[in-house]
Amino acid sequence: MPTAKGSSKGTGGHGRDRLAGKGPTPRAKDRPGHPAQRRAAASARRTTSGGGPGRSRGDERAADEVVVGRNPVVEALRAAIPANRLLIVAGPGDARIAEARRLAEMQGIPIADVPPGELERLSGGAPHQGIGLAVPAYEYAHPDDLMPRSGAALIVALDGVTDPRNLGSVVRSAAAFGAHGVVVPERRAAGVSASAWKASAGALARLRVARATNLARTLVAYDKAGLTIVGLAADAPIILTELQAATDPMVLVIGSEGRGLSRLVSEACQVRVRIPMSGPVESLNAGVAAGVALAEIARRRAR
């Protein structure tokens, strides 16, 4: 019998592989296009080409962020952020450069003497005061990797937060109050940098940060996985102390100061809550808002 226009015949049992499940989610380094997979592939290429640990300095520096200036470098070393090398321009130094050398030696960080032009190139022309610290690129997790194997998930998502110091502050609060990780957008948002490491006071070594290609879609995926998406908003109808979902698996979404949550991210939230304030201040920055909200959620969960 002829088939109707636009219809298609069944497979008759053929092509069953198309109906089969996809199986468990592959590890980040096995996902095509994932940053961890690209790093693993690059590492494999270096190994097969004889690069290995002795890769050229140019390759290493290309992946590093260089913190420059005597005070920033010393503060970064005091915070014990991960670093590949301390770069110092030969010449008369001062007490700050001497302290940087001492801290680097204590932490086992190699010290390299470089010409002024080299450090100026690496710093992009920024005033370097004869000293720089090469910080390795951060290895982000996948948003799926933040889900705990047991217990009620608590994940913090940042929407439009562009100050790395706020990111570091949020990570510090998230680690202090039992969160399982922090998600940031891939674009138009702060990433893990030396400033974020310093503001986190070392918490970035204990709590993972994931990058989302599209934050709104990531929140929808978390929703389908059974997490309640809770957004902080100044005009929300519910105050934080009345949040019934505080003890449930949840994602706490925090927007930028001033702009708040973007439209698509706000629409992905099932619940919106506000922090009650009685003073003249209209809004809190992301770091402070995260600390207040996470403290309340931790208090409710402890009960």
Side-chain angles (χ1 to χ4, degrees), residues 215-230:
L215 183 59
R217 284 204 297 262
T218 296
L219 295 177
V220 171
Y222 278 142
D223 179 10
K224 292 179 179 178
L227 279 67
T228 302
I229 314 301
V230 179

Side-chain angles (χ1 to χ4, degrees), residues 39-133:
R39 282 191 291 272
S43 177
R45 286 194 298 271
R46 285 194 297 269
T47 301
T48 56
S49 64
R55 60 184 175 174
S56 69
R57 288 186 178 180
D59 290 341
E60 181 177 352
R61 292 169 185 167
D64 289 346
E65 174 194 356
V66 179
V67 182
V68 294
R70 295 174 185 178
N71 287 339
V73 167
V74 169
E75 289 175 10
L77 288 168
R78 285 176 176 174
I81 70 171
N84 284 334
R85 290 180 304 155
L86 176 64
L87 310 169
I88 297 178
V89 174
D94 63 2
R96 301 295 274 172
I97 289 182
E99 183 179 2
R101 281 186 179 273
R102 180 179 59 81
L103 291 169
E105 290 171 354
M106 289 175 56
Q107 298 172 34
I109 299 171
I111 301 174
D113 292 325
V114 297
E118 172 88 359
L119 190 52
E120 186 171 346
R121 180 182 66 82
L122 293 173
S123 65
H128 52 71
Q129 298 180 308
I131 189 169
L133 187 67

Side-chain angles (χ1 to χ4, degrees), residues 18-19 90 110 126 135-136 149 164 169 212 234 238 268 290 294 303:
R18 297 183 179 180
L19 305 178
V135 180
R149 295 182 179 179
S169 178
I238 303 171
L294 288 167
R303 295 193 316 187

Side-chain angles (χ1 to χ4, degrees), residues 184-240:
V184 297
E186 195 171 277
R187 294 179 294 175
R188 294 186 293 276
V192 177
S193 63
S195 297
W197 269 102
K198 188 167 61 176
S200 79
L204 275 163
R206 305 188 300 274
L207 193 75
R208 290 180 297 178
V209 175
R211 256 185 173 169
T213 304
N214 184 298
L215 183 59
R217 284 204 297 262
T218 296
L219 295 177
V220 171
Y222 278 142
D223 179 10
K224 292 179 179 178
L227 279 67
T228 302
I229 314 301
V230 179
L232 276 183
D235 60 348
I238 303 171
I239 62 173
L240 178 63

Side-chain angles (χ1 to χ4, degrees), residues 149-198:
R149 295 182 179 179
S150 61
L154 176 56
I155 297 171
V156 180
L158 300 183
D159 178 27
V161 174
T162 57
D163 189 337
R165 293 170 297 182
N166 268 333
L167 170 58
S169 178
V170 169
V171 170
R172 186 176 184 180
S173 295
F177 294 112
H180 297 100
V182 175
V183 180
V184 297
E186 195 171 277
R187 294 179 294 175
R188 294 186 293 276
V192 177
S193 63
S195 297
W197 269 102
K198 188 167 61 176

